[in-house]
Amino acid sequence: MAVDYTVIVVYLAGMLAMGWWGMRRAKSKSDFLVAGRRLGPAMYSGTMAAIVLGGASTIGGVGLGYQYGLSGAWMVFTIGLGLLALSVFFSARIARLKVYTVSEMLDLRYGGRAGVISGVVMWAYTLMLAVTSTIAYATIFDVLFDMNRTLAIVLGGSIVVAYSTLGGMWSITLTDMVQFVVKTIGVLLLLLPIAVVKAGGFSEMKAKLPTEYFDPLGIGGETIFTYVLIYTFGMLIGQDIWQRVFTARSDTTAKWGGTVAGTYCLVYAVAGAVIGTAAKVMYPTLPSADAAFATIVKDELPVGVRGLVLAAALAAVMSTSSGALIACATVANNDIWSRLRRAAPGKDDKDGKDGEERDEVRGNRAFILIMGIAVIGTAIALNNVVEALTVAYNLLVAGLLVPILGGLLWKRGTAQGALAAVVVGGGAVIGLMATYGILANEPIYYGLLSSLAVYVIVSLATPATDAAVLAAWRERLAGRAAEPLSEPVPAHQ
Protein backbone atom coordinates (compact mmCIF):
# COMPACT_ATOMS: atom_id res chain seq x y z
CA MET A 1 0.00 0.00 0.00
CA ALA A 2 3.03 2.32 0.16
CA VAL A 3 2.46 3.59 -3.39
CA ASP A 4 -1.25 4.13 -2.70
CA TYR A 5 -0.44 6.02 0.50
CA THR A 6 1.99 8.22 -1.41
CA VAL A 7 -0.68 9.08 -3.99
CA ILE A 8 -3.14 10.04 -1.24
CA VAL A 9 -0.61 12.11 0.73
CA VAL A 10 0.47 13.99 -2.40
CA TYR A 11 -3.17 14.66 -3.23
CA LEU A 12 -3.95 16.00 0.27
CA ALA A 13 -0.81 18.15 0.27
CA GLY A 14 -1.86 19.52 -3.11
CA MET A 15 -5.23 20.55 -1.67
CA LEU A 16 -3.51 22.57 1.07
CA ALA A 17 -1.16 24.16 -1.49
CA MET A 18 -4.16 25.20 -3.58
CA GLY A 19 -5.65 26.78 -0.48
CA TRP A 20 -2.50 28.83 0.08
CA TRP A 21 -2.47 29.89 -3.57
CA GLY A 22 -6.13 30.86 -3.43
CA MET A 23 -5.49 33.02 -0.35
CA ARG A 24 -3.29 35.30 -2.46
CA ARG A 25 -6.18 35.94 -4.88
CA ALA A 26 -8.90 36.56 -2.29
CA LYS A 27 -8.53 40.32 -1.84
CA SER A 28 -12.18 41.34 -1.54
CA LYS A 29 -15.54 40.01 -0.40
CA SER A 30 -16.43 39.19 -4.01
CA ASP A 31 -13.15 37.30 -4.47
CA PHE A 32 -13.59 35.40 -1.23
CA LEU A 33 -17.25 34.40 -1.58
CA VAL A 34 -17.80 34.11 -5.35
CA ALA A 35 -14.28 33.99 -6.88
CA GLY A 36 -14.66 37.56 -8.13
CA ARG A 37 -17.49 36.44 -10.46
CA ARG A 38 -14.75 35.70 -13.01
CA LEU A 39 -14.92 31.97 -13.85
CA GLY A 40 -14.89 31.04 -17.52
CA PRO A 41 -16.77 28.10 -19.10
CA ALA A 42 -14.14 25.37 -18.55
CA MET A 43 -13.43 26.11 -14.90
CA TYR A 44 -17.11 26.84 -14.16
CA SER A 45 -18.22 23.49 -15.63
CA GLY A 46 -15.57 21.53 -13.78
CA THR A 47 -16.19 23.10 -10.39
CA MET A 48 -19.99 22.88 -10.73
CA ALA A 49 -19.75 19.16 -11.56
CA ALA A 50 -17.37 18.69 -8.63
CA ILE A 51 -19.66 20.20 -6.02
CA VAL A 52 -22.84 18.35 -7.00
CA LEU A 53 -21.12 14.95 -7.28
CA GLY A 54 -20.07 14.23 -3.74
CA GLY A 55 -19.55 11.15 -1.60
CA ALA A 56 -23.24 10.25 -1.79
CA SER A 57 -23.08 10.36 -5.59
CA THR A 58 -19.90 8.26 -5.72
CA ILE A 59 -20.00 5.79 -2.84
CA GLY A 60 -23.79 5.92 -2.53
CA GLY A 61 -24.33 5.75 -6.30
CA VAL A 62 -22.22 2.57 -6.54
CA GLY A 63 -24.12 1.18 -3.55
CA LEU A 64 -27.47 1.76 -5.25
CA GLY A 65 -26.12 0.02 -8.36
CA TYR A 66 -25.11 -2.93 -6.17
CA GLN A 67 -28.59 -3.06 -4.65
CA TYR A 68 -30.84 -2.30 -7.65
CA GLY A 69 -28.69 -2.62 -10.77
CA LEU A 70 -28.79 -0.03 -13.55
CA SER A 71 -31.86 1.70 -12.06
CA GLY A 72 -29.64 2.62 -9.10
CA ALA A 73 -28.45 5.47 -11.34
CA TRP A 74 -31.65 7.41 -10.70
CA MET A 75 -30.54 9.26 -7.58
CA VAL A 76 -27.49 10.81 -9.26
CA PHE A 77 -29.41 11.09 -12.55
CA THR A 78 -32.03 13.34 -10.89
CA ILE A 79 -29.19 15.50 -9.53
CA GLY A 80 -27.97 15.94 -13.10
CA LEU A 81 -31.50 16.73 -14.30
CA GLY A 82 -31.81 19.39 -11.60
CA LEU A 83 -28.53 20.99 -12.62
CA LEU A 84 -29.63 20.96 -16.28
CA ALA A 85 -32.97 22.59 -15.38
CA LEU A 86 -31.22 25.22 -13.26
CA SER A 87 -28.69 25.98 -16.00
CA VAL A 88 -31.11 26.14 -18.92
CA PHE A 89 -34.05 27.96 -17.31
CA PHE A 90 -32.78 29.97 -14.32
CA SER A 91 -28.99 30.35 -14.09
CA ALA A 92 -28.70 33.35 -16.44
CA ARG A 93 -31.20 35.33 -14.38
CA ILE A 94 -29.62 34.22 -11.11
CA ALA A 95 -26.14 35.25 -12.29
CA ARG A 96 -27.38 38.71 -13.31
CA LEU A 97 -28.74 39.37 -9.80
CA LYS A 98 -25.16 39.86 -8.49
CA VAL A 99 -26.05 38.75 -4.95
CA TYR A 100 -24.25 36.43 -2.53
CA THR A 101 -27.08 34.36 -1.02
CA VAL A 102 -30.52 32.99 -1.84
CA SER A 103 -31.97 35.06 1.00
CA GLU A 104 -30.62 38.25 -0.59
CA MET A 105 -32.50 37.28 -3.75
CA LEU A 106 -35.69 36.92 -1.68
CA ASP A 107 -35.05 40.32 -0.09
CA LEU A 108 -34.73 41.94 -3.52
CA ARG A 109 -37.82 40.24 -4.89
CA TYR A 110 -40.15 40.70 -1.91
CA GLY A 111 -38.94 44.01 -0.50
CA GLY A 112 -36.55 43.01 2.26
CA ARG A 113 -38.98 41.08 4.44
CA ALA A 114 -38.51 37.43 3.53
CA GLY A 115 -34.83 36.78 4.13
CA VAL A 116 -34.40 36.14 7.86
CA ILE A 117 -36.44 32.96 8.23
CA SER A 118 -35.29 31.67 4.86
CA GLY A 119 -31.71 32.28 5.99
CA VAL A 120 -32.18 30.08 9.03
CA VAL A 121 -33.69 27.28 6.92
CA MET A 122 -30.90 27.54 4.36
CA TRP A 123 -28.25 27.59 7.10
CA ALA A 124 -29.66 24.37 8.61
CA TYR A 125 -29.62 22.71 5.18
CA THR A 126 -26.04 23.71 4.33
CA LEU A 127 -24.81 22.77 7.81
CA MET A 128 -26.26 19.25 7.57
CA LEU A 129 -24.97 18.88 4.01
CA ALA A 130 -21.47 19.74 5.21
CA VAL A 131 -21.83 17.38 8.20
CA THR A 132 -22.93 14.39 6.12
CA SER A 133 -20.10 14.98 3.66
CA THR A 134 -17.60 15.17 6.50
CA ILE A 135 -18.79 11.88 8.00
CA ALA A 136 -17.92 10.18 4.72
CA TYR A 137 -14.20 10.70 5.47
CA ALA A 138 -14.51 7.96 8.09
CA THR A 139 -15.41 5.39 5.41
CA ILE A 140 -12.56 6.33 3.08
CA PHE A 141 -9.82 6.65 5.71
CA ASP A 142 -10.94 3.37 7.26
CA VAL A 143 -10.21 1.66 3.92
CA LEU A 144 -6.94 3.54 3.52
CA PHE A 145 -5.39 3.43 6.97
CA ASP A 146 -7.78 1.41 9.19
CA MET A 147 -8.23 4.67 11.05
CA ASN A 148 -10.47 5.42 14.02
CA ARG A 149 -13.75 7.08 12.95
CA THR A 150 -13.30 10.24 15.03
CA LEU A 151 -9.69 10.71 13.93
CA ALA A 152 -10.70 10.22 10.27
CA ILE A 153 -13.39 12.90 10.52
CA VAL A 154 -11.00 15.33 12.23
CA LEU A 155 -8.25 14.72 9.66
CA GLY A 156 -10.43 15.03 6.56
CA GLY A 157 -12.51 17.87 7.97
CA SER A 158 -9.47 19.84 9.08
CA ILE A 159 -7.93 19.77 5.59
CA VAL A 160 -11.16 21.07 4.04
CA VAL A 161 -11.58 23.74 6.73
CA ALA A 162 -7.94 24.81 6.27
CA TYR A 163 -7.99 25.42 2.52
CA SER A 164 -11.53 26.87 2.61
CA THR A 165 -10.60 29.32 5.38
CA LEU A 166 -7.40 30.40 3.64
CA GLY A 167 -8.75 31.42 0.26
CA GLY A 168 -12.53 31.09 0.34
CA MET A 169 -14.14 30.42 -3.02
CA TRP A 170 -10.88 30.91 -4.92
CA SER A 171 -9.23 28.09 -2.97
CA ILE A 172 -12.32 25.92 -3.26
CA THR A 173 -12.54 26.58 -7.01
CA LEU A 174 -8.91 25.62 -7.59
CA THR A 175 -9.20 22.47 -5.47
CA ASP A 176 -12.51 21.54 -7.09
CA MET A 177 -10.96 21.74 -10.53
CA VAL A 178 -8.26 19.30 -9.45
CA GLN A 179 -10.91 17.12 -7.81
CA PHE A 180 -12.96 17.10 -11.02
CA VAL A 181 -9.98 15.83 -13.00
CA VAL A 182 -9.14 13.21 -10.36
CA LYS A 183 -12.75 11.98 -10.25
CA THR A 184 -12.98 11.78 -14.02
CA ILE A 185 -9.78 9.74 -14.30
CA GLY A 186 -10.34 7.63 -11.19
CA VAL A 187 -14.02 6.73 -11.60
CA LEU A 188 -14.87 7.06 -15.29
CA LEU A 189 -11.60 6.16 -17.00
CA LEU A 190 -10.17 3.59 -14.55
CA LEU A 191 -12.69 2.07 -12.13
CA LEU A 192 -15.57 1.73 -14.63
CA PRO A 193 -13.78 -0.30 -17.33
CA ILE A 194 -11.77 -2.34 -14.79
CA ALA A 195 -14.94 -3.28 -12.87
CA VAL A 196 -16.76 -4.38 -16.04
CA VAL A 197 -13.79 -6.46 -17.21
CA LYS A 198 -13.30 -8.07 -13.79
CA ALA A 199 -17.01 -9.00 -13.74
CA GLY A 200 -16.63 -10.79 -17.09
CA GLY A 201 -18.21 -8.16 -19.31
CA PHE A 202 -21.87 -7.21 -19.75
CA SER A 203 -22.84 -10.63 -21.11
CA GLU A 204 -21.54 -12.34 -17.96
CA MET A 205 -23.23 -9.75 -15.76
CA LYS A 206 -26.57 -10.39 -17.47
CA ALA A 207 -26.12 -14.12 -17.13
CA LYS A 208 -25.40 -14.02 -13.39
CA LEU A 209 -27.90 -11.39 -12.22
CA PRO A 210 -31.72 -11.28 -12.20
CA THR A 211 -33.34 -9.46 -15.14
CA GLU A 212 -34.63 -6.68 -12.86
CA TYR A 213 -31.02 -5.55 -12.43
CA PHE A 214 -31.17 -4.33 -16.02
CA ASP A 215 -34.64 -2.77 -15.83
CA PRO A 216 -34.27 1.05 -16.05
CA LEU A 217 -37.25 1.48 -13.70
CA GLY A 218 -36.43 -1.42 -11.38
CA ILE A 219 -35.90 0.82 -8.36
CA GLY A 220 -39.60 1.78 -8.46
CA GLY A 221 -41.62 4.68 -9.83
CA GLU A 222 -42.41 6.14 -6.41
CA THR A 223 -38.74 6.19 -5.44
CA ILE A 224 -37.82 7.91 -8.70
CA PHE A 225 -40.56 10.51 -8.16
CA THR A 226 -39.29 11.18 -4.65
CA TYR A 227 -35.74 11.59 -5.97
CA VAL A 228 -37.05 14.18 -8.44
CA LEU A 229 -38.82 16.13 -5.69
CA ILE A 230 -35.85 16.10 -3.33
CA TYR A 231 -32.78 16.22 -5.55
CA THR A 232 -33.94 17.77 -8.84
CA PHE A 233 -35.82 20.55 -7.06
CA GLY A 234 -33.10 20.76 -4.39
CA MET A 235 -30.57 21.59 -7.13
CA LEU A 236 -32.74 24.54 -8.16
CA ILE A 237 -32.62 26.34 -4.82
CA GLY A 238 -29.62 25.25 -2.71
CA GLN A 239 -27.25 27.99 -1.52
CA ASP A 240 -24.26 25.76 -2.26
CA ILE A 241 -25.35 25.51 -5.91
CA TRP A 242 -26.42 29.16 -6.32
CA GLN A 243 -23.12 30.35 -4.87
CA ARG A 244 -21.37 28.54 -7.74
CA VAL A 245 -23.70 30.18 -10.25
CA PHE A 246 -22.63 33.53 -8.82
CA THR A 247 -19.01 32.74 -9.74
CA ALA A 248 -19.71 32.72 -13.51
CA ARG A 249 -18.25 35.68 -15.38
CA SER A 250 -21.40 36.01 -17.53
CA ASP A 251 -24.92 34.67 -17.75
CA THR A 252 -23.91 32.77 -20.90
CA THR A 253 -21.14 31.00 -18.96
CA ALA A 254 -23.64 30.08 -16.24
CA LYS A 255 -26.11 28.68 -18.76
CA TRP A 256 -23.87 26.67 -21.05
CA GLY A 257 -21.19 25.78 -18.52
CA GLY A 258 -23.87 24.44 -16.21
CA THR A 259 -25.42 22.48 -19.08
CA VAL A 260 -22.10 20.74 -19.69
CA ALA A 261 -21.77 19.97 -15.96
CA GLY A 262 -25.32 18.59 -15.83
CA THR A 263 -24.65 16.31 -18.80
CA TYR A 264 -21.47 15.08 -17.09
CA CYS A 265 -23.59 14.21 -14.02
CA LEU A 266 -25.87 12.02 -16.15
CA VAL A 267 -22.83 10.08 -17.43
CA TYR A 268 -21.44 9.78 -13.89
CA ALA A 269 -24.80 8.42 -12.69
CA VAL A 270 -24.78 5.59 -15.21
CA ALA A 271 -21.11 4.83 -14.50
CA GLY A 272 -21.76 4.45 -10.75
CA ALA A 273 -24.70 2.11 -11.35
CA VAL A 274 -22.67 -0.05 -13.75
CA ILE A 275 -19.77 -0.27 -11.27
CA GLY A 276 -22.21 -1.31 -8.53
CA THR A 277 -23.79 -3.93 -10.79
CA ALA A 278 -20.36 -5.34 -11.58
CA ALA A 279 -19.57 -5.46 -7.86
CA LYS A 280 -22.74 -7.49 -7.28
CA VAL A 281 -21.43 -10.13 -9.70
CA MET A 282 -18.05 -10.30 -7.97
CA TYR A 283 -19.26 -9.95 -4.35
CA PRO A 284 -22.88 -11.14 -4.17
CA THR A 285 -23.09 -11.27 -0.36
CA LEU A 286 -21.59 -8.03 0.95
CA PRO A 287 -23.00 -7.07 4.37
CA SER A 288 -23.83 -3.56 3.12
CA ALA A 289 -24.45 -2.11 -0.34
CA ASP A 290 -22.43 0.97 0.61
CA ALA A 291 -19.39 -1.28 1.09
CA ALA A 292 -19.37 -2.12 -2.64
CA PHE A 293 -17.20 0.84 -3.68
CA ALA A 294 -14.51 0.30 -1.04
CA THR A 295 -14.47 -3.48 -1.58
CA ILE A 296 -14.01 -3.40 -5.33
CA VAL A 297 -11.33 -0.71 -5.04
CA LYS A 298 -9.43 -2.55 -2.31
CA ASP A 299 -9.55 -6.03 -3.87
CA GLU A 300 -9.58 -5.54 -7.64
CA LEU A 301 -7.44 -2.55 -8.52
CA PRO A 302 -3.65 -2.65 -9.00
CA VAL A 303 -1.23 -0.71 -6.81
CA GLY A 304 -1.14 3.00 -7.62
CA VAL A 305 -4.44 2.86 -9.47
CA ARG A 306 -6.10 1.96 -6.17
CA GLY A 307 -4.61 5.06 -4.57
CA LEU A 308 -5.82 7.26 -7.42
CA VAL A 309 -9.37 5.88 -7.24
CA LEU A 310 -9.46 6.35 -3.48
CA ALA A 311 -8.19 9.88 -4.08
CA ALA A 312 -11.15 10.26 -6.46
CA ALA A 313 -13.50 9.23 -3.65
CA LEU A 314 -11.81 11.75 -1.36
CA ALA A 315 -12.15 14.37 -4.10
CA ALA A 316 -15.86 13.69 -4.37
CA VAL A 317 -16.36 14.09 -0.64
CA MET A 318 -14.12 17.15 -0.31
CA SER A 319 -15.72 19.07 -3.17
CA THR A 320 -19.21 18.76 -1.69
CA SER A 321 -17.96 19.34 1.86
CA SER A 322 -16.06 22.53 1.01
CA GLY A 323 -18.92 23.89 -1.12
CA ALA A 324 -21.43 23.27 1.65
CA LEU A 325 -19.07 24.77 4.25
CA ILE A 326 -18.58 28.10 2.47
CA ALA A 327 -22.32 28.22 1.73
CA CYS A 328 -23.10 27.60 5.41
CA ALA A 329 -20.65 30.30 6.54
CA THR A 330 -21.90 32.79 3.94
CA VAL A 331 -25.51 32.35 5.06
CA ALA A 332 -24.56 32.52 8.75
CA ASN A 333 -22.60 35.74 8.26
CA ASN A 334 -24.60 37.58 5.60
CA ASP A 335 -28.16 36.44 6.33
CA ILE A 336 -28.20 35.87 10.09
CA TRP A 337 -25.34 37.59 11.93
CA SER A 338 -25.38 40.77 9.83
CA ARG A 339 -29.12 41.16 10.45
CA LEU A 340 -28.68 40.73 14.19
CA ARG A 341 -26.08 43.50 14.34
CA ARG A 342 -27.74 45.80 11.82
CA ALA A 343 -29.42 47.86 14.55
CA ALA A 344 -26.07 48.56 16.23
CA PRO A 345 -24.37 51.89 15.42
CA GLY A 346 -21.84 51.56 12.57
CA LYS A 347 -18.15 52.00 13.21
CA ASP A 348 -16.11 54.51 11.33
CA ASP A 349 -13.49 52.82 9.17
CA LYS A 350 -10.37 54.95 8.91
CA ASP A 351 -9.11 52.82 6.06
CA GLY A 352 -12.10 53.63 3.84
CA LYS A 353 -13.33 51.17 1.25
CA ASP A 354 -10.14 49.10 1.23
CA GLY A 355 -10.41 48.64 4.97
CA GLU A 356 -14.03 47.60 4.63
CA GLU A 357 -13.09 45.00 2.02
CA ARG A 358 -10.36 43.61 4.28
CA ASP A 359 -12.80 43.45 7.18
CA GLU A 360 -15.31 41.63 4.97
CA VAL A 361 -12.70 39.03 4.03
CA ARG A 362 -11.55 38.61 7.65
CA GLY A 363 -15.13 38.31 8.85
CA ASN A 364 -16.10 35.69 6.28
CA ARG A 365 -12.85 33.80 6.90
CA ALA A 366 -13.65 33.71 10.63
CA PHE A 367 -17.15 32.40 9.93
CA ILE A 368 -15.79 29.57 7.75
CA LEU A 369 -13.44 28.58 10.58
CA ILE A 370 -16.23 28.69 13.18
CA MET A 371 -18.70 26.79 11.00
CA GLY A 372 -15.97 24.28 10.10
CA ILE A 373 -15.31 23.49 13.75
CA ALA A 374 -19.07 23.14 14.31
CA VAL A 375 -19.37 20.80 11.32
CA ILE A 376 -16.54 18.55 12.53
CA GLY A 377 -17.98 18.41 16.05
CA THR A 378 -21.48 17.59 14.78
CA ALA A 379 -20.12 14.94 12.40
CA ILE A 380 -18.35 13.20 15.28
CA ALA A 381 -21.55 13.19 17.38
CA LEU A 382 -23.92 12.13 14.58
CA ASN A 383 -24.44 8.55 13.44
CA ASN A 384 -27.33 8.34 10.96
CA VAL A 385 -26.15 10.16 7.85
CA VAL A 386 -29.10 9.26 5.63
CA GLU A 387 -31.67 10.58 8.10
CA ALA A 388 -29.74 13.82 8.64
CA LEU A 389 -29.47 14.46 4.90
CA THR A 390 -33.15 13.62 4.37
CA VAL A 391 -34.20 16.11 7.04
CA ALA A 392 -32.01 18.79 5.43
CA TYR A 393 -33.38 18.27 1.91
CA ASN A 394 -37.00 17.96 3.11
CA LEU A 395 -36.74 21.28 4.96
CA LEU A 396 -35.04 22.96 2.01
CA VAL A 397 -37.54 21.84 -0.63
CA ALA A 398 -40.73 22.09 1.43
CA GLY A 399 -39.78 25.44 2.94
CA LEU A 400 -38.00 27.34 0.17
CA LEU A 401 -38.80 25.87 -3.26
CA VAL A 402 -42.15 27.62 -3.66
CA PRO A 403 -41.08 31.12 -2.45
CA ILE A 404 -37.95 31.05 -4.63
CA LEU A 405 -39.50 29.73 -7.85
CA GLY A 406 -42.63 31.76 -7.17
CA GLY A 407 -40.53 34.90 -6.92
CA LEU A 408 -38.80 34.11 -10.21
CA LEU A 409 -41.92 33.09 -12.14
CA TRP A 410 -45.00 34.81 -10.60
CA LYS A 411 -45.07 38.58 -10.16
CA ARG A 412 -48.20 38.43 -7.95
CA GLY A 413 -46.32 36.59 -5.19
CA THR A 414 -45.96 38.71 -2.04
CA ALA A 415 -43.66 38.82 0.98
CA GLN A 416 -46.51 37.63 3.21
CA GLY A 417 -47.14 34.68 0.91
CA ALA A 418 -43.44 33.82 0.87
CA LEU A 419 -43.12 33.93 4.65
CA ALA A 420 -46.26 31.85 5.08
CA ALA A 421 -44.95 29.28 2.61
CA VAL A 422 -41.62 28.98 4.45
CA VAL A 423 -43.27 28.61 7.87
CA VAL A 424 -46.13 26.30 6.84
CA GLY A 425 -44.08 24.18 4.45
CA GLY A 426 -41.19 23.79 6.90
CA GLY A 427 -43.52 23.18 9.86
CA ALA A 428 -45.60 20.66 7.93
CA VAL A 429 -42.62 18.62 6.82
CA ILE A 430 -41.23 18.48 10.38
CA GLY A 431 -44.61 17.38 11.79
CA LEU A 432 -45.10 14.80 9.03
CA MET A 433 -41.61 13.36 9.52
CA ALA A 434 -42.47 12.91 13.20
CA THR A 435 -45.70 11.14 12.20
CA TYR A 436 -44.68 9.03 9.19
CA GLY A 437 -40.96 8.67 9.87
CA ILE A 438 -37.97 10.63 8.57
CA LEU A 439 -37.40 8.41 5.54
CA ALA A 440 -41.07 8.28 4.48
CA ASN A 441 -42.20 9.89 1.20
CA GLU A 442 -45.34 11.54 2.58
CA PRO A 443 -43.59 14.44 4.40
CA ILE A 444 -42.10 15.93 1.24
CA TYR A 445 -45.29 15.34 -0.78
CA TYR A 446 -47.67 17.02 1.64
CA GLY A 447 -45.17 19.59 2.88
CA LEU A 448 -44.57 20.86 -0.66
CA LEU A 449 -48.30 20.93 -1.47
CA SER A 450 -49.10 22.87 1.71
CA SER A 451 -46.34 25.37 0.96
CA LEU A 452 -47.69 25.94 -2.56
CA ALA A 453 -51.29 26.30 -1.39
CA VAL A 454 -50.44 28.80 1.34
CA TYR A 455 -48.18 30.82 -0.97
CA VAL A 456 -50.89 31.26 -3.59
CA ILE A 457 -53.75 31.92 -1.15
CA VAL A 458 -51.88 34.41 1.06
CA SER A 459 -50.33 36.20 -1.93
CA LEU A 460 -53.76 36.70 -3.53
CA ALA A 461 -55.25 37.81 -0.21
CA THR A 462 -52.59 40.47 0.48
CA PRO A 463 -51.63 43.64 -1.41
CA ALA A 464 -49.36 43.14 -4.39
CA THR A 465 -45.65 43.81 -3.96
CA ASP A 466 -44.78 47.51 -4.22
CA ALA A 467 -44.31 48.60 -7.84
CA ALA A 468 -40.93 50.20 -7.04
CA VAL A 469 -39.66 46.94 -5.55
CA LEU A 470 -40.77 45.00 -8.64
CA ALA A 471 -39.22 47.60 -10.94
CA ALA A 472 -35.88 47.34 -9.11
CA TRP A 473 -36.18 43.55 -9.25
CA ARG A 474 -36.72 43.60 -13.02
CA GLU A 475 -33.69 45.86 -13.45
CA ARG A 476 -31.61 43.44 -11.42
CA LEU A 477 -32.85 40.42 -13.41
CA ALA A 478 -32.00 42.20 -16.63
CA GLY A 479 -28.47 42.90 -15.39
CA ARG A 480 -28.88 46.66 -15.63
CA ALA A 481 -28.34 47.50 -11.96
CA ALA A 482 -25.19 47.69 -9.82
CA GLU A 483 -24.27 44.98 -7.35
CA PRO A 484 -26.42 45.33 -4.22
CA LEU A 485 -25.13 46.22 -0.78
CA SER A 486 -24.01 43.30 1.34
CA GLU A 487 -26.81 44.19 3.75
CA PRO A 488 -29.84 45.24 1.67
CA VAL A 489 -32.11 47.83 3.20
CA PRO A 490 -35.76 46.74 3.33
CA ALA A 491 -38.05 48.74 1.07
CA HIS A 492 -40.35 49.72 3.91
CA GLN A 493 -37.59 51.39 5.95
Side-chain angles (χ1 to χ4, degrees):
M1 292 287 289
V3 176
D4 296 322
Y5 292 161
T6 301
V7 172
I8 298 296
V9 170
V10 169
Y11 168 76
L12 294 177
M15 294 301 97
L16 292 174
M18 290 290 183
W20 185 262
W21 186 18
M23 182 178 68
R24 303 179 64 178
R25 304 193 65 170
K27 304 298 184 182
S28 67
K29 178 181 179 180
S30 178
D31 287 335
F32 194 83
L33 295 183
V34 290
R37 307 188 197 274
R38 295 200 298 269
L39 298 193
M43 186 166 281
Y44 178 85
S45 297
T47 56
M48 182 62 87
I51 187 177
V52 300
L53 295 173
S57 300
T58 304
I59 299 170
V62 171
L64 287 172
Y66 183 88
Q67 189 173 358
Y68 297 104
L70 298 186
S71 67
W74 274 106
M75 184 188 77
V76 183
F77 205 82
T78 56
I79 291 174
L81 292 177
L83 184 52
L84 283 172
L86 174 70
S87 301
V88 173
F89 298 113
F90 300 107
S91 63
R93 282 182 283 180
I94 292 170
R96 287 195 293 264
L97 288 174
K98 302 295 184 186
V99 295
Y100 292 102
T101 69
V102 173
S103 294
E104 286 182 26
M105 167 264 169
L106 293 172
D107 274 345
L108 288 170
R109 168 60 181 82
Y110 294 111
R113 288 168 285 180
V116 179
I117 297 177
S118 66
V120 173
V121 173
M122 189 64 77
W123 174 80
Y125 158 73
T126 53
L127 178 71
M128 294 314 301
L129 185 62
V131 165
T132 53
S133 299
T134 302
I135 290 174
Y137 296 126
T139 302
I140 299 169
F141 282 113
D142 179 55
V143 174
L144 282 172
F145 308 115
D146 193 23
M147 187 179 289
N148 172 270
R149 177 183 183 275
T150 298
L151 183 59
I153 289 172
V154 171
L155 175 61
S158 297
I159 291 171
V160 170
V161 172
Y163 72 68
S164 300
T165 302
L166 284 172
M169 187 60 83
W170 266 122
S171 292
I172 292 171
T173 296
L174 294 170
T175 54
D176 277 0
M177 201 62 203
V178 174
Q179 289 158 357
F180 170 74
V181 173
V182 171
K183 276 192 289 193
T184 301
I185 296 172
V187 175
L188 297 185
L189 302 183
L190 293 177
L191 184 57
L192 174 61
I194 290 173
V196 172
V197 170
K198 292 280 188 178
F202 284 103
S203 59
E204 188 71 12
M205 290 162 63
K206 287 185 176 181
K208 289 188 174 181
L209 294 174
T211 55
E212 55 262 29
Y213 264 72
F214 301 92
D215 179 0
L217 304 178
I219 199 170
E222 185 177 356
T223 299
I224 294 170
F225 181 64
T226 302
Y227 284 158
V228 170
L229 284 183
I230 294 178
Y231 297 114
T232 301
F233 288 154
M235 287 296 106
L236 297 179
I237 58 175
Q239 169 67 26
D240 52 324
I241 308 302
W242 276 43
Q243 199 156 344
R244 293 309 173 96
V245 175
F246 300 150
T247 65
R249 71 183 178 201
S250 68
D251 51 9
T252 303
T253 296
K255 182 175 181 178
W256 295 111
T259 301
V260 171
T263 304
Y264 178 91
C265 293
L266 303 184
V267 175
Y268 200 88
V270 175
V274 171
I275 293 168
T277 305
K280 183 68 174 179
V281 173
M282 291 182 278
Y283 310 98
T285 58
L286 287 178
S288 166
D290 284 341
F293 180 90
T295 302
I296 196 171
V297 169
K298 194 172 185 180
D299 293 350
E300 302 297 336
L301 298 186
V303 173
V305 173
R306 180 170 49 204
L308 183 59
V309 173
L310 286 171
L314 269 177
V317 175
M318 285 184 164
S319 56
T320 299
S321 181
S322 58
L325 176 59
I326 193 171
C328 177
T330 303
V331 170
N333 188 15
N334 288 266
D335 295 335
I336 299 175
W337 173 245
S338 66
R339 296 170 195 273
L340 293 177
R341 63 178 182 142
R342 186 177 296 167
K347 296 180 180 179
D348 294 331
D349 193 337
K350 295 179 181 179
D351 294 328
K353 184 176 180 181
D354 290 339
E356 291 174 7
E357 290 286 9
R358 287 196 296 272
D359 286 342
E360 290 278 16
V361 172
R362 283 196 294 266
N364 282 290
R365 184 173 282 135
F367 264 88
I368 290 181
L369 180 60
I370 293 167
M371 291 297 106
I373 293 171
V375 164
I376 292 172
T378 307
I380 292 170
L382 202 62
N383 287 320
N384 198 316
V385 181
V386 175
E387 289 193 357
L389 194 60
T390 301
V391 170
Y393 268 102
N394 281 354
L395 274 174
L396 174 72
V397 174
L400 292 180
L401 178 69
V402 170
I404 292 170
L405 294 190
L408 288 168
L409 301 174
W410 191 40
K411 67 179 181 180
R412 186 60 182 82
T414 66
Q416 294 89 339
L419 286 170
V422 173
V423 173
V424 172
V429 82
I430 291 172
L432 290 165
M433 282 190 291
T435 303
Y436 288 98
I438 289 175
L439 300 179
N441 294 326
E442 288 84 358
I444 189 62
Y445 295 165
Y446 301 136
L448 193 55
L449 285 174
S450 65
S451 178
L452 176 61
V454 168
Y455 179 73
V456 173
I457 292 170
V458 174
S459 291
L460 292 175
T462 52
T465 304
D466 186 85
V469 172
L470 287 178
W473 167 253
R474 285 191 292 270
E475 288 292 301
R476 184 76 62 196
L477 277 180
R480 293 192 293 264
E483 186 170 322
L485 297 172
S486 59
E487 296 180 3
V489 179
H492 61 283
Q493 290 186 351

